[in-house]
Amino acid sequence: RAKLRGRNRSHHFSPDMADALYRKMTLRHHLTLALEAEAFELYYQPIVDMTTQQLKGFEALIRWHDEELGQVSPAEFIPLAEETGQIVPLGKWILKTACKQLSVWREKFGKGFIMSVNLSRAQLQSSLAPTIESLLLRYNIPPSQLALELTESTMLQEYDDAKQCLDDLASLGLELYLDDFGTGYSSLSQLQDLPISTVKLDQSFVQGEHKGSQAIIEATRAICEKLDLRVVAEGVETQEQLDYLKSCRFDYCQGYFLGRPMPAHEHEERNFTLQHTAVV
Ligand code: C2E
Ligand code: MG
Ligand code: MG
Ligand code: MG
């Protein structure tokens, strides 16, 4: 933002830009140290099956607490790690940690849920499918229990290469979710062209931030039904939102109302009970 404003106003380097740049440089430096120290943690947020009102699975979400900087949001450091290429080793750590957790939970809590992991565009390389395949073997996980989440915009550049990688992943038997649906730049044809099983409708629609939010929610549901795709509503924060999504026959819901992202041990202590056991 500072860059844009700076460009519009003048060619001088503004204090805003200096602050932003300094923050970026600091983060970059600390990120390097954090990678070496593996100073990250995964939190897990439940995804609820609306038909059974049971847990469908968990989405793994990275957390970084830096001693000096405090808690840094993934919305801030993931884009930075994408810029520097650090997302590749970081992404490997995320995948390994999520798979390890999944194998522990399979033993403890049964085998009926899916772990979904967010992927960045830079991770879509030809080596990804073999890497994941060996993780599945190492942790004895059936591929159908692992899902990967991708945003629409990640598909923009070098579409054919990305598609090849997704096809490889899908042929391993993994599920692919299209994340933040409705906010990116994808064409609807991607829904058919890519091996996607599930669409995650962006939380801004669920929270009514757009003029036609309800129309978009209903249209998304209809498209997914016609294309035989499952659909998850993200960012459910109230009973009212949940009731509405239920009436639209959404397959799955996720949001603070149903459960916040939490560290693994907290889910274990709660025995996986959902925040709102009476979902409807
Ligand atoms: P996302 O994948 O769309 O994840 C959903 C975000 O919404 C998460 O934010 C989650 O904590 C938040 N959220 C969930 N329910 C609610 C709700 O009811 N209300 C509101 N207001 N927010 C809710 P988080 O954890 O800060 O992550 C932000 C983004 O950072 C993620 O969006 C994803 O794009 C990226 N990210 C997070 N973890 C990873 C990761 O391990 N790898 C990669 N590549 N990206 C990640
Ligand atoms: Mg996601
Ligand atoms: Mg999302
Ligand atoms: Mg998002």
Side-chain angles (χ1 to χ4, degrees):
R1 192 179 297 138
K3 204 169 157 192
L4 277 176
R5 243 186 288 153
R7 197 185 294 149
N8 291 339
R9 276 211 217 121
S10 71
H11 297 288
H12 295 290
F13 196 74
S14 72
D16 265 13
M17 288 164 75
D19 285 352
L21 190 63
Y22 181 73
R23 169 81 179 166
K24 223 171 149 174
M25 281 165 57
T26 312
L27 279 175
R28 205 174 273 194
H29 173 63
H30 283 251
L31 199 56
T32 308
L33 301 176
L35 259 171
E36 281 162 15
E38 299 199 343
F40 302 97
E41 192 182 1
L42 291 187
Y43 275 31
Y44 301 90
Q45 185 178 32
I47 300 177
V48 178
D49 185 325
M50 296 299 281
T51 5
T52 60
Q53 297 175 41
Q54 302 288 315
L55 190 73
K56 170 197 164 58
F58 290 99
E59 177 177 5
L61 293 160
I62 194 164
R63 295 292 177 263
W64 173 26
H65 182 86
D66 186 87
E67 285 194 358
E68 242 175 85
L69 307 170
Q71 198 76 19
V72 187
S73 161
E76 186 175 17
F77 75 80
I78 291 287
L80 198 67
E82 286 170 345
E83 257 174 52
T84 60
Q86 286 166 312
I87 191 64
V88 175
L90 182 57
K92 273 191 190 152
W93 179 87
I94 293 165
L95 280 164
K96 192 186 90 186
T97 307
C99 285
K100 206 166 153 186
Q101 190 60 61
L102 177 55
S103 74
V104 171
W105 281 350
R106 271 168 56 81
E107 289 302 314
K108 273 187 138 159
F109 300 103
K111 303 173 172 26
F113 61 89
I114 292 179
M115 178 75 82
S116 68
V117 178
N118 292 285
L119 278 193
S120 296
R121 176 63 180 85
Q123 290 176 267
L124 295 185
Q125 301 171 349
S126 54
S127 60
L128 183 65
T131 301
I132 290 183
E133 192 173 20
S134 62
L135 280 174
L136 295 174
L137 287 170
R138 175 167 165 197
Y139 292 109
N140 194 24
I141 296 166
S144 58
Q145 268 190 274
L146 184 66
L148 301 172
E149 301 195 3
L150 289 137
T151 59
E152 305 169 271
S153 20
T154 53
M155 297 304 300
L156 274 181
Q157 318 123 11
E158 295 166 75
Y159 181 81
D160 290 341
D161 291 348
K163 177 170 158 46
Q164 182 60 56
C165 184
L166 295 188
D167 287 340
D168 292 347
L169 292 168
S171 52
L172 287 180
L174 305 176
E175 283 207 47
L176 298 174
Y177 297 175
L178 193 60
D179 204 356
D180 301 348
F181 182 74
T183 59
Y185 303 90
S186 80
S187 68
L188 288 171
S189 64
Q190 280 188 11
L191 290 177
Q192 284 284 68
D193 194 33
L194 300 173
I196 291 159
S197 70
T198 303
V199 164
K200 298 187 77 175
L201 181 64
D202 190 70
Q203 58 181 40
S204 57
F205 302 106
V206 173
Q207 291 158 11
E209 282 171 26
H210 308 271
K211 213 173 167 192
S213 284
Q214 287 207 348
I216 291 166
I217 289 174
E218 286 164 31
T220 302
R221 173 68 193 122
I223 289 172
C224 289
E225 189 155 30
K226 287 261 187 326
L227 297 181
D228 198 22
L229 297 164
R230 308 287 87 70
V231 59
V232 184
E234 301 191 271
V236 181
E237 291 183 352
T238 68
Q239 180 76 58
E240 200 187 350
Q241 290 165 354
L242 189 70
D243 291 343
Y244 174 64
L245 293 160
K246 173 97 184 157
S247 76
C248 296
R249 293 179 301 107
F250 266 65
D251 301 290
Y252 309 109
C253 285
Q254 179 181 13
Y256 294 165
F257 185 70
L258 297 161
R260 288 190 173 255
M262 288 189 288
H265 69 88
E266 284 190 37
H267 285 296
E268 289 168 16
E269 283 151 21
R270 289 166 192 231
N271 239 342
F272 282 133
T273 42
L274 297 165
Q275 206 149 305
H276 290 263
T277 34
V279 167
V280 272

